[in-house]
Amino acid sequence: AKMTRELAAAGTPPRALVRFAPDAKMADINTLLDSYQATVLGGANGLFRLQFGGKSMSKDEVAGLMSKLRGEKIVSLAEAAP
C-alpha cells in the first residue's frame, strides 16, 4: 500500500512541447533526451511532446527546466505543456 501512496503523491511529471533545430542529429537528440530523463510522448509537425523524469516538479523547477532546455543549441523552442 505504501508504494501506491507514494506514486499518488508524486503527481504528474512535467511535460513540454519542444522543437529541435532543423540540423539536429538523431544522436544529439537522443543524448539530450537521456540527460533530461525525457520520454517522447508524441510529435507532429516537428514539435515533440516530452515528459521529464518520473515525478512532479514545482512551478519554479519547471521554469528552470524550460530555460535550461532553451539554452541547448539543438533546441529551437521549449514550452511547458499540460
Side-chain angles (χ1 to χ4, degrees), residues 15-21 24 26 29 33 39-52 69 74 77-79 81:
R15 294 175 175 182
L17 289 173
V18 174
R19 178 179 282 133
F20 294 104
M26 204 61 228
I29 293 172
L33 294 176
T39 314
V40 178
L41 300 178
N45 308 322
L47 270 181
F48 290 88
R49 192 174 169 78
L50 305 181
Q51 178 171 299
F52 297 88
L69 266 173
I74 63 164
L77 176 112
E79 293 296 334

Side-chain angles (χ1 to χ4, degrees), residues 27-81:
D28 295 334
I29 293 172
N30 285 331
T31 301
L32 181 125
L33 294 176
D34 278 353
S35 68
Y36 283 87
Q37 295 181 316
T39 314
V40 178
L41 300 178
N45 308 322
L47 270 181
F48 290 88
R49 192 174 169 78
L50 305 181
Q51 178 171 299
F52 297 88
K55 58 183 195 296
S56 59
M57 292 185 188
S58 71
K59 277 194 159 42
D60 286 349
E61 286 173 320
V62 173
L65 176 66
M66 291 309 123
S67 64
K68 196 175 151 194
L69 266 173
R70 289 184 195 115
E72 298 283 349
K73 63 176 189 296
I74 63 164
V75 173
S76 63
L77 176 112
E79 293 296 334

